[in-house]
């Protein structure tokens, strides 16, 4: 039986991944700050299947303590799903909050790199896998995406760089790059405004956390000789628009 460590399992894509991997017969270590949600998942999935690890990914001491306390059955990680992350705000750069920018970088980049560095020796020993949640925002800039898009571009390029460094180890690395997925993502982005999130997704028929979870599980369950490098996916109703043009004298 294999073990997966999923960061951000209290909501959305990570929560969907916890259920999907558990249903497929994996042992799941699910992390997040909201202990009650992890407890509920543990009750639902059972102690043989799910182990809750409560910590803030930006707190390395708390993370290390939680990982050191993993029960023997859950201690050997075969797959790391680097999912915890967030966007804060969608203001243009010149109006953005610097503290929010730093929180996104600390969470989406620094914590992800640090956890990957910690888990990598074990993944190499077990010829495991890393699946990173990047975003379409890594590739397609949009107004207000500034630092969030920058963090997700880092995640994608870090995943590809890892692929290169890990040549010959058997470790697989994938960057998953979704478009609009209706989770708590847009509520968080808008400071807890559920109505703003509802209107963002209204009529779109967006992807769901479970859609992405099934994709992550598929990637992690492929035969050992197959590596999905990058995987971009969107709801059918989301697609591309042209460039914007600012005309002088019309501002
Ligand atoms: P949610 O807001 O529903 O879930 C985010 C998860 O990240 C939660 O479990 C949250 O746990 C965890 N998290 C955030 N900050 C921290 C922290 N400091 N420490 C520990 N855990 C943290 O969003 P999604 O499920 O949509 O997002 C998951 C990933 O997918 C993110 O990386 C996001 O950028 C990416 N993504 C999302 C898309 C979307 O449209 N929704 C599209 C493309 C990519 P808790 O609050 O309990 O700590
Ligand atoms: C977020 C994707 O399309 O909502 O990563 O900006 S989108």
């Amino acid at each position: 039986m294999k073990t997966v460590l999923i960061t951000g399992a209290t909501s959305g894509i990570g929560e969907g991944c916890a259920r999907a991997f558990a249903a497929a017969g994996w042992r799941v270590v699910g992390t997040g700050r909201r202990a009650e949600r992890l407890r509920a998942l543990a009750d639902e999935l059972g102690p043989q299947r799910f182990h809750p690890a409560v910590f803030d990914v930006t707190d390395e001491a708390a993370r290390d303590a939680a990982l050191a306390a993993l029960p023997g059955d859950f201690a050997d990680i075969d797959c790391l799903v680097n999912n915890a992350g967030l966007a804060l705000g969608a203001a243009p750069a010149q109006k953005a909050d610097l503290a929010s920018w730093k929180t996104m970088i600390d969470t989406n980049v620094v914590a992800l790199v640090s956890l990957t560095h910690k888990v990598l020796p074990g993944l190499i020993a077990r010829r495991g896998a890393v699946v990173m949640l990047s975003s379409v925002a890594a590739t397609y800039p949009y107004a207000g995406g500034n630092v969030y898009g920058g963090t997700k571009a880092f995640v994608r390029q870090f995943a590809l760089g890892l692929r290169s460094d890990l040549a010959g180890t058997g470790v697989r690395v994938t960057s998953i790059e979704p478009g609009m997925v209706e989770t708590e993502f847009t509520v968080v982005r808008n400071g807890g405004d559920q109505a703003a999130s509802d209107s963002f997704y209204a009529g779109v028929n967006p992807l769901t956390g479970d859609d992405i979870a099934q994709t992550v599980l598929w990637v992690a369950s492929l035969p050992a000789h197959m590596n999905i490098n990058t995987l971009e996916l969107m709801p059918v109703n989301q697609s591309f628009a042209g460039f914007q043009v600012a005309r002088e004298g019309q501002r």
Side-chain angles (χ1 to χ4, degrees):
M1 192 184 291
K2 289 190 172 182
T3 300
V4 60
L5 171 60
I6 303 166
T7 63
T10 57
S11 171
I13 295 168
E15 183 178 354
C17 284
R19 290 201 177 92
F21 276 81
W26 292 62
R27 286 193 196 95
V28 178
V29 179
T31 86
R33 291 165 297 185
R34 287 170 287 182
E36 70 289 355
R37 293 212 183 176
L38 293 178
R39 266 198 303 274
L41 263 181
D43 289 345
E44 176 188 329
L45 300 175
Q48 313 301 326
R49 230 7 121 200
F50 185 85
H51 180 80
V54 182
F55 59 88
D56 183 324
V57 288
T58 65
D59 181 343
E60 291 187 359
R63 178 203 68 193
D64 289 350
L67 295 184
L70 288 178
D73 286 353
F74 290 86
D76 293 335
I77 309 299
D78 299 285
C79 179
L80 169 63
V81 179
N82 268 325
N83 167 75
L86 77 174
L88 290 175
Q94 60 274 27
K95 293 185 179 162
D97 173 44
L98 181 58
S100 296
W101 277 8
K102 289 181 176 175
T103 300
M104 287 188 274
I105 294 167
D106 287 345
T107 309
N108 300 358
V109 174
V110 179
L112 176 145
V113 164
S114 175
L115 178 61
T116 305
H117 187 267
K118 186 171 180 66
V119 173
L120 206 46
L123 294 178
I124 293 170
R126 284 179 284 285
R127 300 175 80 80
V130 189
V131 183
M132 315 255 193
L133 265 296
S134 174
S135 166
V136 293
T139 303
Y140 309 99
Y142 58 85
N146 44 65
V147 166
Y148 177 70
T151 66
K152 292 300 169 178
F154 176 92
V155 170
R156 172 196 166 86
Q157 201 63 15
F158 179 52
L160 293 173
L162 274 180
R163 280 278 291 131
S164 192
D165 288 351
L166 292 168
T169 65
V171 175
R172 297 184 287 171
V173 188
T174 302
S175 170
I176 306 273
E177 297 161 16
M180 296 167 78
V181 188
E182 187 167 12
T183 60
E184 294 178 12
F185 176 84
T186 299
V187 179
V188 171
R189 183 172 216 166
N190 289 289
D193 186 345
Q194 181 67 51
S197 176
D198 291 347
S199 79
F200 183 69
Y201 297 111
V204 173
N205 196 8
L207 300 173
T208 66
D210 290 337
D211 293 332
I212 306 304
Q214 288 302 330
T215 306
V216 174
L217 176 64
W218 173 73
V219 162
S221 307
L222 286 168
H225 67 286
M226 288 181 69
N227 195 95
I228 305 294
N229 296 334
T230 63
L231 199 161
E232 181 182 301
L233 60 165
M234 288 177 173
V236 171
N237 286 333
Q238 182 182 21
S239 57
F240 319 102
F243 291 111
Q244 61 179 332
V245 178
R247 298 191 189 278
E248 291 177 24
Q250 294 189 2
R251 287 193 165 207

